[in-house]
Amino acid sequence: MTFDPALPFSALLAWRDAETRRWREWFASHPSAALDAPVGRGSAETVRGLVRHIFAVEMRYAQRLLGVPVSEPAAFNQQSLGEIFALGDEARRMLDKYLATATEASLDEVLTFVTMTAGTIVASKRKILFNLVPHGMRHWAQIASYLRQAGYGDGWPHDFLLADVGI
């Protein structure tokens, strides 16, 4: 039997992709003002900024996993819906590229890197990979809450248990 590094993550990645697809369609069919709903202070003061943050983190983690230069946070200034979701698409392509060549040993490789908010992190590639989904999941939940507060409903359940993905 050959090792498939995506197997433990496949259901979570499928949920992530389905949720992202729903959000892309939702934003495309709603007023662009929804992207400018406030979310608080910091670098992601609007829904637009928070969606961009989700994809920027996925991109930076995918770059780390592949061992390529990691983009500086200031490089992520996408504004339009298409540009923001294209960033997410590219991050996912890079992640797929990593998973296509990952081995049990490469997932155990430990990386040390500096984050914007948590300082220096030491983590295995496996842990970094696993962190991608809960990171986005948490922020999509925040976005749903902020949009509801701004008068927008999203119209679908977000829980993994209710998602149309199998395990």
Side-chain angles (χ1 to χ4, degrees):
M1 181 174 168
T2 59
F3 171 70
D4 180 358
L7 193 58
F9 307 104
S10 61
L12 288 173
L13 294 174
W15 173 88
R16 179 209 56 191
D17 292 346
E19 190 73 358
T20 300
R21 197 168 28 259
R22 284 180 164 166
W23 278 114
R24 183 189 312 241
E25 292 167 0
W26 188 92
F27 282 116
S29 68
H30 284 76
S32 61
L35 280 169
D36 296 319
V39 299
R41 299 185 316 244
S43 61
E45 295 178 353
T46 63
V47 167
R48 180 187 317 272
L50 194 49
V51 174
R52 184 176 45 238
H53 167 76
I54 292 168
F55 297 143
V57 167
E58 288 182 6
M59 173 64 78
R60 287 170 51 90
Y61 283 156
Q63 290 168 331
R64 285 185 180 101
L65 292 169
L66 285 170
V68 300
V70 177
S71 300
E72 291 297 322
F76 301 108
N77 54 14
Q78 296 80 0
Q79 291 298 314
S80 74
L81 183 64
E83 290 171 332
I84 293 169
F85 277 86
L87 173 62
D89 294 342
E90 179 59 23
R92 284 171 172 82
R93 278 191 288 278
M94 292 177 74
L95 182 60
D96 289 345
K97 181 179 178 181
Y98 171 73
L99 286 171
T101 61
T103 64
E104 200 58 66
S106 70
L107 286 169
D108 290 338
E109 182 182 342
V110 174
L111 302 180
T112 301
F113 54 95
V114 178
T115 69
M116 290 178 54
T117 57
T120 300
I121 300 289
V122 178
S124 70
K125 286 186 173 184
R126 181 184 323 276
K127 189 172 185 179
I128 292 167
L129 179 61
F130 182 81
N131 187 65
L132 282 171
V133 175
H135 173 264
M137 188 182 289
R138 178 172 52 91
H139 287 313
W140 285 122
Q142 289 175 311
I143 288 167
S145 293
Y146 289 128
L147 288 172
R148 281 193 297 274
Q149 291 169 7
Y152 300 99
D154 48 40
W156 73 90
H158 300 279
D159 289 344
F160 180 82
L161 186 61
L162 303 174
D164 191 19
V165 296
I167 284 194

